[in-house]
Amino acid sequence: MRLLQYNNDGDLSLTEFDESDSPEYAILSHTWEQDNSKEVTYAEVISGTGHDKEGFKKIKFCGEQARQDSLSYFWVDTCCINKQNKAELRHSINSMFRWYRNASRCYVYLSDVSTRKRKASDLLSEHTWELSFRDSRWFTRGWTLQELLAPASVEFFSFEGKRLGDKSSLQTQICKATNISPSALQAKSLSQFHIDERMQWIEHRETGKEEDKAYSLLGIFGVSMVPAYGEGVAKAFDRLWNRFREIQKCMQDLRPTDPRLDKQRIEATKGGLLQEAYRWVIETSDFQQWCTNQHHRLLWIKGDPGKGKTMLLCGIADELQNSLAKSALLSYFFCQATDSRINRATAVLRGLIYLLVDQQPSLVSHVQASYDEAGKALFEDANAWVALAKVFSSILHDPNLVATYLIVDALDECVVDLPNLLCFITQTSSVSTRVKWVVSSRNWPEIEKRLDTAMQKQRLCLELNADSVSTAVVTFIQTKVHDLREKNKYTSETRDVIQQHLSLNAHGTFLWVALASEDSELCMNILAVVSTVYRPITIDELVTLVKMPNGVDGEYEALAEIIGYCRSFLAIRERTIFFVHQSANDFLIGKAPQEPLLLRAQDVHNTIFSRSLQVMSITLRRDIYNLRAPGISIDQVEPPDPNPLAAIRYSCLYWVDHLLGSRITKDSVKDLKASSSVYKFLHQYFLYWLEALSLLKSVSEGVVMIRKLENLQFDRNPDLRAFIHDARRFIVSNRSIIEQAPLQAYCSALVFAPEKSIVREMFEKYIPSWIQRKPRVEAHWNAMLQTLEGHSD
């Protein structure tokens, strides 16, 4: 782009810059003279003529005002674009929104608004500039719409050059004159506004050429296309909508999640972002060097779980958002190992690219070129990482890319392709002085080894800043205690006791404070179970494993509110409970042995085991889906609504594992109570359980569970030991038929079992009465079967 400058002799000159390296500049917004020949052209500035033209007054005003604002350079559309060069004109039309957005100041020169007061004797009577301001021709022109919306700073000046105000102080008048909402006037991105609302902004505006009514919206809709004057306004708008829809589809497929919403969710679950708890990191020498030194392009913040790394990065994002120039780009991503949408390297790149394109729409061309060929598969197939890395690298090398800041939290929670992500970060951190990275992780040697290869980096270790972290934790404690006092109406004495207890035991750990602040025994029980189970469980499953208050079973809203008590640790997504952060889970598991607030792991396992047997005993029954026909295939089965197995799915698949987990030694079970409950369950419900496993398509898992039971030594219960031994043979022999037809567990599986099979003898009454003649079978299990079953290969 070309910028104007007054030299020391007062002469006007033009200098050409790459956008990425352009200095700070002011930009003029105005309405063209009715007679365009009165405007100063590019050729006239080059030749040093045109000073006597009417339009030169605006150029002179802009230059003088820029100088007052300590800006050496300024831009005016009439003379900074060589309109005789068609290629340059096309480029300028597509770049105009960005040029206005990147300007440090935008001066609106209103040639039809005067601050001079009319004489009282005037027939029109005295009127002030406010009336003519709202009626100004500037509010009726098509191109001035983007000139109002794009810049952060828009200042209005009268014909005499007197400042009238800016788009904040004049917001009420501007909104009335334009029907544009206040939020749109201040928005950094216009993509949040519906297409119909954006179209209303241009509805009553006019342009000199009819096609310009569409072209003037290119930046507002984040679209780039070649102007074709003469095509007519209808065709111009058709092309605009087609291009807009193409980009929208690309962006929708690119977006795995909106990192801005993830940030809001994280802050909300952690009780809000406290400025006093993160400001210390902004003031450290490490952060300041990263900010100010162009050679320090990578800042790695590392620390143990519970030290508040995620909230630090939320705070850094806010600080950068508020302090950076409007033209600068800020993109961030928060990894979470427990969320499959945001726990892989491809998701990180997709999230970062999504926010960059949303802020600088012209960057979409780097994505669109590959997307037009591959479609959504570009982001999801086996080559997604390679394709996305190529796209991102292309963006970072874009000559029009402005200063860019990239934040990635919790690298250790990127569970898929982390080495690729680390390699990409270290390589791109040396691409350009315009690109800076902030990343965080736990103290993992493999991450340190990779990041150490970066040439220009800063490292901020939270353990080496223990005093600052502890001070931040104290602030967090004060906030938590205040919330508890307000909620529970504590006295000042009680408040002080709680605050002292939290302060003495926190040891610089935010998560401990969050845990200790959860004042509900129910919350502790929920956390104990969720941190112990072998996979994320649903709300329905949680109800079976934790004793809930009366009347909440089946009430989703009530249950969600209860889980909300644990919001510092847990979140609900699609009725499934997840840890908000892997570090929360790791903290609970690591803290449990020392923390009296938490139950011992063995006790939690035992509770889950016991409650699983209890709920299965209550729920399981013969033909639980009411299939009726014994021969119905599993492929024909449609689970009823509500599904009676939904709440006990987890229990059916993991009760044996929790029995093992409840024992200090897993090869000897001498607890008579446990063995008695196992025997009682299997003695009464074994076939019901097999039917449920078939309906859950998990008969193979049932085989594994029986083998685990068989490996235990039930010394005081020989009947149980014999039953499990026989049950293993029964399930192995009949696995295929039970997998294919769930109700065959009561038919062919029993009918063809040996006469002396314990399972057959115990459940023979379930053989359907219509089977009158039973086949002759062996008395005992086949010896060959025993040999094959025992083969370790």
Side-chain angles (χ1 to χ4, degrees), residues 313-368:
L313 264 65
C314 286
I316 288 173
D318 284 358
E319 289 292 321
L320 292 175
Q321 191 84 63
N322 295 330
S323 62
L324 295 175
K326 172 147 189 199
S327 59
L329 303 181
L330 172 65
S331 186
Y332 46 78
F333 194 88
F334 295 87
C335 298
Q336 284 186 234
T338 56
D339 188 336
S340 60
R341 299 171 306 139
I342 51 178
N343 68 357
R344 54 193 64 224
T346 52
V348 176
L349 294 195
R350 289 169 70 181
L352 293 175
I353 293 171
Y354 176 78
L355 285 190
L356 291 177
V357 172
D358 188 64
Q359 296 169 78
Q360 188 171 329
S362 62
L363 297 176
V364 77
S365 60
H366 299 278
V367 188
Q368 195 79 42

Side-chain angles (χ1 to χ4, degrees), residues 341-406:
R341 299 171 306 139
I342 51 178
N343 68 357
R344 54 193 64 224
T346 52
V348 176
L349 294 195
R350 289 169 70 181
L352 293 175
I353 293 171
Y354 176 78
L355 285 190
L356 291 177
V357 172
D358 188 64
Q359 296 169 78
Q360 188 171 329
S362 62
L363 297 176
V364 77
S365 60
H366 299 278
V367 188
Q368 195 79 42
S370 300
Y371 179 81
D372 288 343
E373 294 181 7
K376 192 175 183 179
L378 175 71
F379 311 126
E380 297 177 348
D381 67 13
N383 299 317
W385 170 261
V386 176
L388 285 164
K390 182 179 178 181
V391 168
F392 206 159
S393 296
S394 177
I395 288 174
L396 297 182
H397 284 92
D398 190 311
N400 295 324
L401 183 73
V402 294
T404 301
Y405 296 80
L406 305 169

Side-chain angles (χ1 to χ4, degrees), residues 388-457:
L388 285 164
K390 182 179 178 181
V391 168
F392 206 159
S393 296
S394 177
I395 288 174
L396 297 182
H397 284 92
D398 190 311
N400 295 324
L401 183 73
V402 294
T404 301
Y405 296 80
L406 305 169
I407 298 175
V408 181
D409 176 54
L411 289 171
D412 49 280
E413 302 223 18
C414 176
V415 299
V416 180
D417 289 334
L418 175 60
N420 286 343
L421 179 59
L422 293 172
C423 183
F424 182 83
I425 291 172
T426 55
Q427 289 176 353
T428 55
S429 65
S430 59
V431 164
S432 166
T433 55
R434 291 172 288 149
V435 179
K436 286 178 176 280
W437 289 85
V438 182
V439 298
S440 74
S441 77
R442 282 181 266 184
N443 294 302
W444 283 11
E446 54 265 42
I447 293 179
E448 183 163 12
K449 182 178 179 181
R450 296 272 184 174
L451 294 183
D452 273 348
T453 62
M455 298 301 292
Q456 288 93 10
K457 62 180 181 296

Side-chain angles (χ1 to χ4, degrees), residues 220-235:
I220 289 171
F221 283 97
V223 170
S224 177
M225 69 182 197
V226 177
Y229 288 108
E231 66 178 332
V233 66
K235 188 172 181 180

